[in-house]
Structure formats: C-alpha cells, structure tokens
Amino acid sequence: MVEHQLRAQGIKDERVLAAMESVPRHLFVSPDLQAAAYDDRALPIGEGQTISQPYMVALMTGLLELKGDEKVLEVGTGSGYQAAVLSRLAAEVFTVERIDALASKARRMLKYLECSNVSVIVSDGTTGLPAHAPFDAIIVAAAAPHIPQAYIDQLKINGRLVIPVGSRFSQVLYKIKKTSDGITSSISTPCAFVPLIGKEGWDERESYEA
Ligand code: SAM
C-alpha cells in the first residue's frame, strides 16, 4: 500500500508513510473485508460509515505538519484507523465519534494496538472538544457544510485545521492555518466523505433523505 499506492500518488512525507506502514489496516475492518484492506479505497465499517481511503488519510495527515509533540483533535473516529496513525505522529490524540458502537469498537482496537496516547470520546464533534482545547491540529474526517467557528477558536496560534467542506456528496479539502494576524486558507483535492452530522454540521434526517 505504502510503496505502490501512497508513494506512487505523490505522498512524500516519510514520517506519515512510516506511520501508515506500521498500522495494520486489516484489523480495522470486518473479517470479510480484510482481503481488500490494503486497496486504496474507503470500505464500510458498519452503521452506514466508512474507513477512509488510505491516500486521503496520508494526504490529510501530512497537511497537519505534525512533528511529534502536538495535541491533536480528530472529529469522526469511525474505525479508529486514522487515530492509530495519528498516535504514531503526535504526543496526544483526542478523537470524537457520535456513534457509540463505533467508538467502543475503535477504543478496543486502539487499546489492543497499545495506542495509549489516544482518548476516544462520544459526542457531537461539530462543536470541537472545548474541555481539551486548544489543539495544535484538528482533522475532520467527515464532510462539513461550512467550517464550524469552534474549530478555529480551539486552535492554538500556528495551529492547522484540515477539513472537507462542500455539499452532501462532494467536497474540497481545506487547510486552514490560524496565525496571530488571522486565518490563512488553502484548498487542495476534491473528495467525497460521509456527512458530518450535528449542531454545526448536517441535519441527521436531511443526510438520510438526500
Ligand atoms: N477516521 C475514520 C477511520 O479512520 O476509520 C473514518 C471516519 S468516517 C469517514 C466519518 C465518521 O465521522 C463516522 O464514523 C461518523 O459517525 C462520524 N461523525 C459524523 N458526524 C460526527 C460528529 N458530529 N461528531 C463526531 N463524529 C461524527
């Protein structure tokens, strides 16, 4: 996966590549999907949710510019795979999931893999995680209709936010940097994530009806 898909598609960050090489992605999917676990695509994880495509995990993780001593917030724990990758690259990881069953499963796997610097929390991540703010980096693994102000407020100065923003079905990846003079923002790859549902995200009914 690392050599033939990530490097081949232009991922150059050696720390990110090493972290992804060290996390067994097949343990984060059900036994019937393990043969496909190293394909470069999103896979179902139950509850109508997905584990993200490896390329997208690598790209988003690289955009966070982690050096090793950061406190990171992930919104959308899902299977826990992205959190396991982050655990190799940062000092402390808080990951928030709205679906209890997914959070419990992820917590078990992260414990099994000894990712002791990761805390899994069940809550509506659209309002961030004020009790543990501020963060050096925030990564949002679900599609937002707009950028919730809470994420900007909960970033440290020089902190980075990576988030897919757009419609229910297609988005663009945004990287936001908070500086002492304000916000800088850049746009990269088009993407398609499951919806970020909650107070500052999509309405749950709307997302199922769409
Ligand atoms: N990072 C995950 C992984 O490595 O498996 C994949 C995340 S999946 C694409 C998106 C996740 O975001 C889903 O598990 C979904 O339940 C969750 N989610 C959606 N809205 C949320 C919210 N407001 N707060 C927390 N989690 C949310």
PDB file of all heavy atoms in Angstrom, residues 1 3 6-7 25 35 60 64 70 77 86 90 92 94-95 118 123 142 144 147 165 175 185:
ATOM      1  N   MET A   1       0.829  -1.201   0.000  1.00  0.00           N
ATOM      2  CA  MET A   1       0.000   0.000   0.000  1.00  0.00           C
ATOM      3  C   MET A   1       0.871   1.261   0.000  1.00  0.00           C
ATOM      4  O   MET A   1       0.665   2.178  -0.788  1.00  0.00           O
ATOM      5  CB  MET A   1      -0.918  -0.026   1.236  1.00  0.00           C
ATOM      6  CG  MET A   1      -1.846   1.146   1.356  1.00  0.00           C
ATOM      7  SD  MET A   1      -2.835   1.028   2.875  1.00  0.00           S
ATOM      8  CE  MET A   1      -1.775   1.855   4.046  1.00  0.00           C
ATOM      9  N   GLU A   3       4.143   1.648  -0.768  1.00  0.00           N
ATOM     10  CA  GLU A   3       5.001   1.821  -1.942  1.00  0.00           C
ATOM     11  C   GLU A   3       4.186   2.025  -3.218  1.00  0.00           C
ATOM     12  O   GLU A   3       4.429   2.951  -3.987  1.00  0.00           O
ATOM     13  CB  GLU A   3       5.924   0.604  -2.123  1.00  0.00           C
ATOM     14  CG  GLU A   3       6.994   0.464  -1.046  1.00  0.00           C
ATOM     15  CD  GLU A   3       7.838   1.725  -0.885  1.00  0.00           C
ATOM     16  OE1 GLU A   3       8.190   2.342  -1.894  1.00  0.00           O
ATOM     17  OE2 GLU A   3       8.130   2.087   0.275  1.00  0.00           O
ATOM     18  N   LEU A   6       0.603   4.904  -2.089  1.00  0.00           N
ATOM     19  CA  LEU A   6       0.817   6.223  -1.486  1.00  0.00           C
ATOM     20  C   LEU A   6       1.998   6.955  -2.135  1.00  0.00           C
ATOM     21  O   LEU A   6       1.857   8.061  -2.643  1.00  0.00           O
ATOM     22  CB  LEU A   6       0.990   6.089   0.029  1.00  0.00           C
ATOM     23  CG  LEU A   6      -0.176   5.386   0.738  1.00  0.00           C
ATOM     24  CD1 LEU A   6       0.038   5.366   2.249  1.00  0.00           C
ATOM     25  CD2 LEU A   6      -1.497   6.054   0.403  1.00  0.00           C
ATOM     26  N   ARG A   7       3.160   6.315  -2.137  1.00  0.00           N
ATOM     27  CA  ARG A   7       4.324   6.941  -2.787  1.00  0.00           C
ATOM     28  C   ARG A   7       4.043   7.210  -4.260  1.00  0.00           C
ATOM     29  O   ARG A   7       4.352   8.284  -4.781  1.00  0.00           O
ATOM     30  CB  ARG A   7       5.539   6.029  -2.686  1.00  0.00           C
ATOM     31  CG  ARG A   7       6.561   6.507  -1.698  1.00  0.00           C
ATOM     32  CD  ARG A   7       7.813   5.655  -1.798  1.00  0.00           C
ATOM     33  NE  ARG A   7       8.200   5.163  -0.506  1.00  0.00           N
ATOM     34  CZ  ARG A   7       8.791   5.879   0.433  1.00  0.00           C
ATOM     35  NH1 ARG A   7       9.067   7.155   0.212  1.00  0.00           N
ATOM     36  NH2 ARG A   7       9.115   5.357   1.588  1.00  0.00           N
ATOM     37  N   ARG A  25      -3.992  -2.007   8.795  1.00  0.00           N
ATOM     38  CA  ARG A  25      -5.334  -1.534   8.423  1.00  0.00           C
ATOM     39  C   ARG A  25      -6.363  -2.659   8.428  1.00  0.00           C
ATOM     40  O   ARG A  25      -7.548  -2.427   8.672  1.00  0.00           O
ATOM     41  CB  ARG A  25      -5.260  -0.851   7.041  1.00  0.00           C
ATOM     42  CG  ARG A  25      -6.532  -0.054   6.662  1.00  0.00           C
ATOM     43  CD  ARG A  25      -6.300   0.760   5.394  1.00  0.00           C
ATOM     44  NE  ARG A  25      -7.396   1.652   5.053  1.00  0.00           N
ATOM     45  CZ  ARG A  25      -8.312   1.394   4.135  1.00  0.00           C
ATOM     46  NH1 ARG A  25      -8.254   0.277   3.442  1.00  0.00           N
ATOM     47  NH2 ARG A  25      -9.279   2.256   3.872  1.00  0.00           N
ATOM     48  N   ALA A  35      -9.308  -8.882   3.008  1.00  0.00           N
ATOM     49  CA  ALA A  35      -8.527  -9.058   1.766  1.00  0.00           C
ATOM     50  C   ALA A  35      -8.428  -7.744   0.986  1.00  0.00           C
ATOM     51  O   ALA A  35      -7.498  -7.547   0.211  1.00  0.00           O
ATOM     52  CB  ALA A  35      -9.164 -10.144   0.895  1.00  0.00           C
ATOM     53  N   MET A  60      -4.256  14.006   4.245  1.00  0.00           N
ATOM     54  CA  MET A  60      -4.758  14.856   5.335  1.00  0.00           C
ATOM     55  C   MET A  60      -3.774  14.880   6.500  1.00  0.00           C
ATOM     56  O   MET A  60      -3.525  15.934   7.102  1.00  0.00           O
ATOM     57  CB  MET A  60      -6.134  14.364   5.807  1.00  0.00           C
ATOM     58  CG  MET A  60      -7.208  14.561   4.751  1.00  0.00           C
ATOM     59  SD  MET A  60      -8.801  13.847   5.215  1.00  0.00           S
ATOM     60  CE  MET A  60      -9.471  15.102   6.306  1.00  0.00           C
ATOM     61  N   LEU A  64      -1.332  18.193   8.258  1.00  0.00           N
ATOM     62  CA  LEU A  64      -1.335  18.629   9.669  1.00  0.00           C
ATOM     63  C   LEU A  64       0.052  19.055  10.144  1.00  0.00           C
ATOM     64  O   LEU A  64       0.190  19.681  11.198  1.00  0.00           O
ATOM     65  CB  LEU A  64      -1.856  17.510  10.579  1.00  0.00           C
ATOM     66  CG  LEU A  64      -3.305  17.071  10.370  1.00  0.00           C
ATOM     67  CD1 LEU A  64      -3.629  15.896  11.288  1.00  0.00           C
ATOM     68  CD2 LEU A  64      -4.268  18.222  10.622  1.00  0.00           C
ATOM     69  N   GLU A  70       2.691  17.323  19.444  1.00  0.00           N
ATOM     70  CA  GLU A  70       1.419  18.050  19.389  1.00  0.00           C
ATOM     71  C   GLU A  70       0.263  17.367  20.116  1.00  0.00           C
ATOM     72  O   GLU A  70       0.262  16.167  20.323  1.00  0.00           O
ATOM     73  CB  GLU A  70       0.989  18.235  17.915  1.00  0.00           C
ATOM     74  CG  GLU A  70       1.920  19.045  17.062  1.00  0.00           C
ATOM     75  CD  GLU A  70       3.049  18.241  16.421  1.00  0.00           C
ATOM     76  OE1 GLU A  70       3.213  17.043  16.745  1.00  0.00           O
ATOM     77  OE2 GLU A  70       3.763  18.834  15.607  1.00  0.00           O
ATOM     78  N   THR A  77     -14.143   9.414  14.590  1.00  0.00           N
ATOM     79  CA  THR A  77     -13.250   8.289  14.903  1.00  0.00           C
ATOM     80  C   THR A  77     -13.442   7.122  13.941  1.00  0.00           C
ATOM     81  O   THR A  77     -12.461   6.473  13.550  1.00  0.00           O
ATOM     82  CB  THR A  77     -13.540   7.750  16.332  1.00  0.00           C
ATOM     83  OG1 THR A  77     -13.576   8.843  17.243  1.00  0.00           O
ATOM     84  CG2 THR A  77     -12.526   6.724  16.768  1.00  0.00           C
ATOM     85  N   LEU A  86      -2.369   8.748  13.724  1.00  0.00           N
ATOM     86  CA  LEU A  86      -2.015   9.987  14.438  1.00  0.00           C
ATOM     87  C   LEU A  86      -1.246   9.688  15.728  1.00  0.00           C
ATOM     88  O   LEU A  86      -0.366  10.454  16.115  1.00  0.00           O
ATOM     89  CB  LEU A  86      -3.289  10.779  14.772  1.00  0.00           C
ATOM     90  CG  LEU A  86      -4.049  11.374  13.583  1.00  0.00           C
ATOM     91  CD1 LEU A  86      -5.397  11.918  14.045  1.00  0.00           C
ATOM     92  CD2 LEU A  86      -3.228  12.479  12.900  1.00  0.00           C
ATOM     93  N   ALA A  90       1.992  12.146  16.924  1.00  0.00           N
ATOM     94  CA  ALA A  90       1.733  13.272  17.827  1.00  0.00           C
ATOM     95  C   ALA A  90       1.841  12.785  19.265  1.00  0.00           C
ATOM     96  O   ALA A  90       1.870  11.580  19.525  1.00  0.00           O
ATOM     97  CB  ALA A  90       0.340  13.839  17.558  1.00  0.00           C
ATOM     98  N   GLU A  92      -0.389  13.532  21.830  1.00  0.00           N
ATOM     99  CA  GLU A  92      -1.672  13.250  22.452  1.00  0.00           C
ATOM    100  C   GLU A  92      -2.771  13.408  21.404  1.00  0.00           C
ATOM    101  O   GLU A  92      -2.778  14.403  20.666  1.00  0.00           O
ATOM    102  CB  GLU A  92      -1.881  14.283  23.580  1.00  0.00           C
ATOM    103  CG  GLU A  92      -2.795  13.822  24.651  1.00  0.00           C
ATOM    104  CD  GLU A  92      -2.896  14.839  25.791  1.00  0.00           C
ATOM    105  OE1 GLU A  92      -2.295  15.926  25.706  1.00  0.00           O
ATOM    106  OE2 GLU A  92      -3.588  14.514  26.758  1.00  0.00           O
ATOM    107  N   PHE A  94      -6.983  13.253  20.763  1.00  0.00           N
ATOM    108  CA  PHE A  94      -8.371  13.123  21.204  1.00  0.00           C
ATOM    109  C   PHE A  94      -9.197  12.879  19.954  1.00  0.00           C
ATOM    110  O   PHE A  94      -9.056  13.622  18.973  1.00  0.00           O
ATOM    111  CB  PHE A  94      -8.844  14.403  21.905  1.00  0.00           C
ATOM    112  CG  PHE A  94      -8.147  14.624  23.220  1.00  0.00           C
ATOM    113  CD1 PHE A  94      -6.968  15.357  23.274  1.00  0.00           C
ATOM    114  CD2 PHE A  94      -8.642  14.068  24.387  1.00  0.00           C
ATOM    115  CE1 PHE A  94      -6.295  15.547  24.472  1.00  0.00           C
ATOM    116  CE2 PHE A  94      -7.978  14.241  25.594  1.00  0.00           C
ATOM    117  CZ  PHE A  94      -6.808  14.977  25.645  1.00  0.00           C
ATOM    118  N   THR A  95     -10.011  11.831  19.961  1.00  0.00           N
ATOM    119  CA  THR A  95     -10.827  11.549  18.791  1.00  0.00           C
ATOM    120  C   THR A  95     -12.278  11.419  19.219  1.00  0.00           C
ATOM    121  O   THR A  95     -12.586  10.762  20.217  1.00  0.00           O
ATOM    122  CB  THR A  95     -10.306  10.321  18.008  1.00  0.00           C
ATOM    123  OG1 THR A  95     -11.172  10.105  16.878  1.00  0.00           O
ATOM    124  CG2 THR A  95     -10.237   9.053  18.841  1.00  0.00           C
ATOM    125  N   VAL A 118      -4.109   7.888  22.873  1.00  0.00           N
ATOM    126  CA  VAL A 118      -5.371   8.247  22.195  1.00  0.00           C
ATOM    127  C   VAL A 118      -6.536   8.121  23.173  1.00  0.00           C
ATOM    128  O   VAL A 118      -6.675   7.097  23.847  1.00  0.00           O
ATOM    129  CB  VAL A 118      -5.645   7.322  20.984  1.00  0.00           C
ATOM    130  CG1 VAL A 118      -6.955   7.710  20.295  1.00  0.00           C
ATOM    131  CG2 VAL A 118      -4.497   7.364  19.986  1.00  0.00           C
ATOM    132  N   SER A 123     -19.275  12.153  21.412  1.00  0.00           N
ATOM    133  CA  SER A 123     -20.007  13.429  21.492  1.00  0.00           C
ATOM    134  C   SER A 123     -20.200  13.980  20.090  1.00  0.00           C
ATOM    135  O   SER A 123     -19.719  13.397  19.112  1.00  0.00           O
ATOM    136  CB  SER A 123     -19.285  14.447  22.381  1.00  0.00           C
ATOM    137  OG  SER A 123     -18.182  14.994  21.729  1.00  0.00           O
ATOM    138  N   ALA A 142     -15.107  13.875   8.248  1.00  0.00           N
ATOM    139  CA  ALA A 142     -16.455  13.808   7.696  1.00  0.00           C
ATOM    140  C   ALA A 142     -16.738  15.151   7.022  1.00  0.00           C
ATOM    141  O   ALA A 142     -16.113  16.167   7.362  1.00  0.00           O
ATOM    142  CB  ALA A 142     -17.472  13.517   8.797  1.00  0.00           C
ATOM    143  N   ALA A 144     -18.221  18.584   5.981  1.00  0.00           N
ATOM    144  CA  ALA A 144     -18.917  19.686   6.647  1.00  0.00           C
ATOM    145  C   ALA A 144     -19.553  20.622   5.612  1.00  0.00           C
ATOM    146  O   ALA A 144     -18.964  20.880   4.562  1.00  0.00           O
ATOM    147  CB  ALA A 144     -17.920  20.469   7.497  1.00  0.00           C
ATOM    148  N   ILE A 147     -17.264  25.649   7.703  1.00  0.00           N
ATOM    149  CA  ILE A 147     -16.251  25.428   8.751  1.00  0.00           C
ATOM    150  C   ILE A 147     -16.798  25.924  10.088  1.00  0.00           C
ATOM    151  O   ILE A 147     -17.025  27.129  10.254  1.00  0.00           O
ATOM    152  CB  ILE A 147     -14.935  26.139   8.397  1.00  0.00           C
ATOM    153  CG1 ILE A 147     -14.385  25.543   7.104  1.00  0.00           C
ATOM    154  CG2 ILE A 147     -13.926  26.010   9.531  1.00  0.00           C
ATOM    155  CD1 ILE A 147     -13.209  26.266   6.517  1.00  0.00           C
ATOM    156  N   VAL A 165     -14.970  20.339   2.981  1.00  0.00           N
ATOM    157  CA  VAL A 165     -16.132  21.246   3.022  1.00  0.00           C
ATOM    158  C   VAL A 165     -16.803  21.259   1.656  1.00  0.00           C
ATOM    159  O   VAL A 165     -16.125  21.330   0.628  1.00  0.00           O
ATOM    160  CB  VAL A 165     -15.700  22.690   3.395  1.00  0.00           C
ATOM    161  CG1 VAL A 165     -16.917  23.608   3.489  1.00  0.00           C
ATOM    162  CG2 VAL A 165     -14.941  22.705   4.712  1.00  0.00           C
ATOM    163  N   LYS A 175      -7.302  23.421   4.011  1.00  0.00           N
ATOM    164  CA  LYS A 175      -6.326  23.520   5.100  1.00  0.00           C
ATOM    165  C   LYS A 175      -6.349  24.961   5.597  1.00  0.00           C
ATOM    166  O   LYS A 175      -6.126  25.899   4.827  1.00  0.00           O
ATOM    167  CB  LYS A 175      -4.922  23.168   4.614  1.00  0.00           C
ATOM    168  CG  LYS A 175      -3.898  23.376   5.719  1.00  0.00           C
ATOM    169  CD  LYS A 175      -2.537  22.945   5.299  1.00  0.00           C
ATOM    170  CE  LYS A 175      -1.526  23.266   6.393  1.00  0.00           C
ATOM    171  NZ  LYS A 175      -0.206  22.763   6.070  1.00  0.00           N
ATOM    172  N   SER A 185      -6.046  30.298   4.373  1.00  0.00           N
ATOM    173  CA  SER A 185      -6.717  29.069   3.950  1.00  0.00           C
ATOM    174  C   SER A 185      -6.270  28.660   2.557  1.00  0.00           C
ATOM    175  O   SER A 185      -6.032  29.502   1.688  1.00  0.00           O
ATOM    176  CB  SER A 185      -8.228  29.294   4.042  1.00  0.00           C
ATOM    177  OG  SER A 185      -8.861  29.132   2.829  1.00  0.00           O
TER     178      SER A 185
END
